[in-house]
Amino acid sequence: MRIYIAGNTRKGQVKRSPQEELALRVRILTGRHAQDVIARMADELGDDRAANIGPVSLSRNPLRTNVQRINRAHLTPPLVEGLGEQLARLIGDQSASTTIRRYALAGGRPMPTRLVEVARRVNMFRLGAGYAGTLIGWSDRTRRPYLQVITPDDLEVDYLSDDPLTPTIIRHRRTRIIDGEPADVLDVYDLSDLDNPSFRVIRLSDDADVTEDALGRRYDGDDYWWRYSPTEEFPLGRPFHRIVISGDPRDVYSDMELVEGTLEAAVLQTHWKAGVRDAGFPRVHVIGLHMVGVGSDAVTGASGMTADPTVAVVWAHDDPDRPGSITQLPPGFDPEAIGRSLRQNEQMMMAAFGLPVSMESTGGEPTAREAEALREVIASTYPDCRAHDSLVLRRVAAIVNQASKKTPGMTPLDLPERAWPVLYREEVEQALAEVEPQQADSET
């Protein structure tokens, strides 16, 4: 098996490079890892057994299951304090009017539904692959912003400033149309010098700068327009990345156990299915007998008889002086015991990440301890969600303000460019519980 050396042997060795690791995790999280399981089957079982074991099974996916159980911060519409209707409408909001009125009692508004969808998916990749990005764009056609999820295998992030939490350079791998043909490119956002920011499109095939060919203009220096409103320090506005990073790109190999366990679980589940199919039933063994009326296939050479309840099977002795026998032996494979072992193995993986769950309990309902543990793990995701969601809202407002001044025929807007406080799940219920009794008292 190939081993990747992470920088030098002192830093350790891993099975995959950072880029390969991220791509694998994205494939697992999106259910596109069949070929990875096939390769693991060949490693564990050998090429011949892997080829004959049958169709690969992807029904067991501990990494994705783990992420789905934790990624619940946005299931209840988050409450954004002070968010205005105009910005919510521009982002895209289909919140129920009853929810809007209820959240208004607490001085907020439901997070726009489009942002909820994007934020939930970004958080999925952050939890399963370490980080992800939200690209904020502007559509001249619809005169509104749009949001796009960027998976980590298409992102490279450099932290070069004195602030280890603020990205300096972001590279986004994507496809653009160059001279009428699709081309793989890197969109490079460089804020190494805040007084001279740049955005460039680099074609991967020859490392050529094709910004003007792709977009018809340059985005360097004063032409870099992703900025906040002007200040005394930055008369044109402080520049920012229009891709908001959620998570930390510097810890690619975190939760490696779940990634490896997912591939192993898929291989074992495939092997288990093969055992059920090929060895999970009693076998009939015949000694000294042959079946009367057996046909054969001239092409394959296979022989046998059609299985049917109305067909009587007649056996004849090979040697009348030595009577034959028919014996039924029990299965050589125990599906129940082996299947239970596989489930317990997944249970131990979940428990290692703070998610104890009894997969053998009647009805599958979690115990009070399990439910409380899950709530605590979910609540631990709120700070990262809050940092991402509030920053996206702030930068969307800034982009809308800038775009409204540049778009012909559009009224210039001056939306507040602030990091709106965001509340999640039980935080929302607590905020509403504090104001709804007062509302009821005032109405009576």
Side-chain angles (χ1 to χ4, degrees):
M1 177 181 292
R2 181 170 60 90
I3 297 295
Y4 175 81
I5 299 177
N8 56 60
T9 55
R10 183 175 60 83
K11 291 293 187 180
Q13 299 175 343
V14 293
K15 290 184 176 181
R16 295 171 288 272
S17 69
Q19 293 76 20
E20 291 170 337
E21 179 70 23
L22 289 171
L24 171 61
R25 294 185 182 215
V26 170
R27 290 196 296 270
I28 291 175
L29 291 169
T30 55
R32 301 176 181 179
H33 59 297
Q35 193 59 46
D36 300 291
V37 176
I38 292 173
R40 177 59 66 91
M41 285 171 55
D43 286 344
E44 294 193 9
L45 306 176
D47 292 335
D48 292 339
R49 289 183 67 193
N52 296 323
I53 202 171
V56 63
S57 174
L58 302 182
S59 59
R60 294 287 187 182
N61 191 332
L63 177 63
R64 186 171 180 174
T65 299
N66 181 72
V67 169
Q68 287 175 334
R69 296 185 68 212
I70 299 174
N71 186 23
R72 299 187 178 187
H74 297 87
L75 285 184
T76 299
L79 186 152
V80 184
E81 297 180 7
L83 180 65
E85 178 183 358
Q86 188 175 32
L87 180 55
R89 180 169 44 81
L90 284 169
I91 293 173
D93 190 27
Q94 290 80 43
S95 297
S97 58
T98 52
T99 305
I100 293 175
R101 289 195 296 269
R102 188 175 180 224
Y103 281 28
L105 298 176
R109 184 182 177 90
M111 181 181 291
T113 50
R114 176 55 185 162
L115 176 53
V116 170
E117 295 168 4
V118 169
R120 179 170 169 75
R121 190 163 176 81
V122 166
N123 200 42
M124 175 187 76
F125 289 114
R126 182 186 71 81
L127 291 170
Y131 71 103
T134 299
L135 182 144
I136 309 167
W138 173 262
S139 171
D140 288 326
R141 176 181 298 180
T142 61
R143 297 187 177 183
R144 62 189 307 167
Y146 63 85
L147 303 176
Q148 179 181 346
V149 179
I150 309 298
T151 56
D153 54 332
D154 288 330
L155 280 174
E156 298 176 14
V157 187
D158 291 342
Y159 295 82
L160 305 176
S161 68
D162 54 0
D163 184 352
L165 301 179
T166 302
T168 305
I169 301 174
I170 297 180
R171 302 175 186 87
H172 173 205
R173 187 179 298 103
R174 60 180 298 175
T175 300
R176 287 188 178 275
I177 302 300
I178 310 294
D179 297 329
E181 297 292 334
D184 293 332
V185 302
L186 275 182
D187 284 359
V188 182
Y189 304 81
D190 190 344
L191 299 186
S192 300
D193 183 357
L194 292 179
D195 293 322
N196 188 31
S198 70
F199 166 73
R200 291 172 183 164
V201 179
I202 307 298
R203 186 164 50 203
L204 289 173
S205 61
D206 56 4
D207 289 333
D209 186 339
V210 292
T211 308
E212 291 188 76
D213 296 329
L215 304 173
R217 53 169 289 193
R218 303 290 299 179
Y219 289 82
D220 299 331
D222 293 351
D223 292 327
Y224 186 97
W225 73 280
W226 296 294
R227 299 172 179 266
Y228 295 115
S229 295
T231 63
E232 184 175 341
E233 182 181 2
F234 294 98
L236 293 177
R238 182 184 179 92
F240 58 79
H241 292 294
R242 69 164 178 159
I243 296 178
V244 177
I245 301 298
S246 176
D248 192 341
R250 291 162 290 193
D251 192 9
V252 174
Y253 297 103
S254 63
D255 300 343
M256 170 63 73
E257 301 87 343
L258 270 178
V259 178
E260 289 295 300
T262 296
L263 295 177
E264 293 169 1
V267 170
L268 292 173
Q269 180 70 11
T270 302
H271 195 274
W272 180 83
K273 284 184 60 180
V276 173
R277 182 184 64 243
D278 300 331
F281 47 84
R283 289 293 183 100
V284 175
H285 298 264
V286 178
I287 302 174
L289 298 171
H290 64 270
M291 189 182 297
V292 178
V294 172
S296 62
D297 190 303
V299 177
T300 65
S303 62
M305 179 179 291
T306 301
D308 188 282
T310 64
V311 175
V313 181
V314 179
W315 296 92
H317 295 288
D318 293 338
D319 184 351
D321 296 330
R322 300 177 63 184
S325 63
I326 299 177
T327 304
Q328 178 173 285
L329 298 180
F333 180 85
D334 189 342
E336 181 179 358
I338 296 176
R340 183 166 55 250
S341 176
L342 298 184
R343 291 193 298 271
Q344 289 173 345
N345 182 54
E346 291 185 37
Q347 180 182 2
M348 289 188 293
M349 280 194 289
M350 297 294 184
F353 288 86
L355 289 174
V357 57
S358 176
M359 295 187 180
E360 304 300 327
S361 62
T362 303
E365 291 298 326
T367 65
R369 173 177 167 273
E370 293 163 358
E372 178 60 28
L374 180 58
R375 281 194 295 268
E376 291 177 355
V377 175
I378 294 172
S380 70
T381 68
Y382 297 167
D384 287 294
C385 292
R386 205 178 336 263
H388 169 268
D389 297 346
S390 62
L391 187 55
V392 168
L393 285 168
R394 181 186 182 190
R395 291 187 179 175
V396 168
I399 286 176
V400 169
N401 288 338
Q402 292 284 349
S404 66
K405 297 176 176 65
K406 300 175 181 294
T407 304
M410 187 173 180
T411 303
L413 299 176
D414 189 20
L415 299 173
E417 299 175 7
R418 52 184 291 244
W420 281 272
V422 184
L423 303 180
Y424 301 92
R425 288 169 59 92
E426 61 270 15
E427 298 173 345
V428 174
E429 295 305 318
Q430 181 178 350
L432 293 174
E434 293 175 355
V435 296
E436 286 181 329
Q438 301 175 13
Q439 176 72 11
D441 294 340
S442 64
E443 292 176 353
T444 57

